[in-house]
Amino acid sequence: MLENKKIIYTALIVSLALNFFIIGGAGFYALKWKNIRADSNWIEKRLDRAESRFLRYLEGDDKALAQKVFSERRAALAKAAREVRAARRDFRESLNAETPDPLEITASLDRSQKAAAQVNENFHGALRDMAQGLSPEARRNIAEHMKRHRHHDEADD
């Protein structure tokens, strides 16, 4: 009888540990998802991350120039990103309607495409503005960084 108790207690402890792990993980990710959905500053955080990734390869005047260009373009990038998000939300809502209206679907997709083009235009404009003013050394640093990540592009060819 004593051997059966050890097996039962061991199984109980393992079961409790697994339940805590699964329930804790589910609770953690549910809370994380809730915070992401409620966070209205997600665009600013994303722009900050992109800026810091780019700036870590620059120093001195080059870094100051890049920060200036990013700050000039930030408002337009944030506005365009918000517009993309809103257009995609409208697209989902128009698809979920009981009787989807093709005109609404098309309008929301057109709006999304236009906003995405604005994001692209502002992002590439910022890169163009920076590239024109960066030192040759800074350009080499950035090119070297881009070369390390280029294998993703070559895989598509």
Side-chain angles (χ1 to χ4, degrees):
M1 187 71 181
L2 185 59
E3 289 178 16
N4 289 340
K5 284 185 179 180
K6 286 182 181 179
I7 292 171
I8 290 172
Y9 286 139
T10 303
L12 178 64
I13 290 171
V14 169
S15 174
L16 284 172
L18 282 172
N19 283 328
F20 282 131
F21 179 74
I22 292 169
I23 292 170
F28 172 77
Y29 284 107
L31 183 62
K32 190 173 182 176
W33 178 252
K34 180 183 173 190
N35 288 339
I36 288 171
R37 289 184 53 89
D39 188 10
S40 62
N41 293 329
W42 70 273
I43 293 171
E44 293 298 325
K45 288 179 183 177
R46 197 137 181 208
L47 290 173
D48 287 341
R49 275 197 319 264
E51 182 179 353
S52 67
R53 274 190 223 126
F54 191 83
L55 292 177
R56 71 178 152 198
Y57 300 104
L58 302 174
E59 297 173 349
D61 291 340
D62 294 323
K63 191 171 192 172
L65 171 71
Q67 287 172 326
K68 178 180 174 251
V69 170
F70 272 117
S71 67
E72 289 170 355
R73 297 279 184 159
R74 181 177 289 272
L77 278 166
K79 181 181 176 191
R82 277 197 233 24
E83 182 62 23
V84 168
R85 190 174 192 192
R88 291 180 180 172
R89 184 190 62 239
D90 292 347
F91 174 71
R92 282 190 307 274
E93 289 173 1
S94 62
L95 284 180
N96 285 331
E98 204 166 302
T99 55
D101 181 10
L103 294 176
E104 284 182 22
I105 293 171
T106 303
S108 60
L109 284 173
D110 289 344
R111 194 170 131 213
S112 174
Q113 185 177 12
K114 184 178 176 186
Q118 285 295 315
V119 169
N120 199 23
E121 181 181 320
N122 280 295
F123 178 72
H124 286 99
L127 291 178
R128 181 188 59 242
D129 293 348
M130 280 185 270
Q132 291 173 351
L134 292 176
S135 69
E137 181 182 333
R139 289 185 196 135
R140 277 191 296 277
N141 287 343
I142 293 169
E144 184 62 33
H145 170 69
M146 292 175 77
K147 189 185 331 180
R148 281 186 246 140
H149 296 284
R150 199 167 78 197
H151 67 277
H152 297 294
D153 295 337
E154 292 173 354
D156 294 339
D157 291 338

